[in-house]
Amino acid sequence: MNSWTITPERPDSPVARALWRAYYTEVSDRWYLLHEDRRTDAAELEREVAARTGAELAPPTGRLLIARYDGEPAGSAGVRLLDPATAELTRVFVPEGLRGKGGAALLVAAAEDAARALGARRIVLDTRSDLVEARALYARLGYTETERHNDDVYAEHWFCKELFN
């Protein structure tokens, strides 16, 4: 029987780092293929992975969650507090071969629970126009498009969801 489990993980763990590399490679390649007809430069990939360690997703003000499908690493989602009432959802990722099996929705629900445990009453996120699957997932899970909440140069859409206890 195929099953999902989701557990907290340190952002610097080998599993977390491998999933971050896969996530960044995919979203970066998609952007470069769309805008510059090329894949991510290897040196840029290494710089970005090294620069974005995910330390902000560690306790006490953040959480990184790792999904496993039949015991194998199969996705991630992170939350971090932006202020005492607002958490940001980030690094939601399920590798392509495991999509369509319900893991992303489970990860988002677990991230919302983690945000509530941190004291957040609402959760925000950003994404890009070309990440249509992500935008559809967030809309299906009750997120509504809202005003810009950050200055990320790649962000084109911002979403928010009220968290109720």
Side-chain angles (χ1 to χ4, degrees):
M1 182 175 144
N2 301 112
S3 65
W4 289 96
T5 58
I6 299 174
T7 56
E9 185 104 14
R10 289 175 27 154
D12 62 352
S13 77
V15 167
R17 287 195 314 259
L19 285 165
W20 167 234
R21 178 178 295 279
Y23 167 84
Y24 185 77
T25 299
E26 180 176 331
V27 297
S28 181
D29 279 355
R30 283 178 70 162
W31 192 89
Y32 280 121
L33 287 168
L34 181 65
H35 296 283
E36 297 183 13
D37 197 30
R38 68 175 178 89
R39 295 196 177 277
T40 308
D41 174 83
E44 177 192 1
L45 174 67
E46 294 309 316
R47 279 192 310 272
E48 192 66 20
V49 167
R52 296 188 179 219
T53 64
E56 71 279 6
L57 303 178
T61 58
R63 297 289 182 279
L64 178 66
L65 303 167
I66 299 296
R68 287 178 172 77
Y69 188 70
D70 290 342
E72 295 298 316
S76 65
V79 292
R80 68 180 179 132
L81 287 178
L82 298 179
D83 62 52
T86 307
E88 180 181 42
L89 177 63
T90 186
R91 294 194 189 193
V92 177
F93 175 68
V94 173
E96 188 173 2
L98 293 166
R99 293 178 189 156
K101 299 179 185 297
L106 292 171
L107 274 164
V108 172
E112 290 170 0
D113 288 343
R116 282 184 199 92
L118 292 169
R121 295 187 309 273
R122 71 183 199 124
I123 191 165
V124 298
L125 65 93
D126 68 68
T127 191
R128 299 188 326 229
S129 292
D130 64 306
L131 300 178
V132 293
E133 308 92 337
R135 291 189 1 249
L137 170 72
Y138 300 132
R140 189 173 77 246
L141 297 177
Y143 287 76
T144 55
E145 201 152 350
T146 187
E147 71 281 348
R148 173 187 290 264
H149 67 264
N150 64 22
D151 59 359
D152 185 317
V153 297
Y154 296 107
E156 298 168 309
H157 297 270
W158 295 265
F159 289 83
C160 179
K161 182 178 181 180
E162 297 301 318
L163 298 175
F164 301 102
N165 292 325

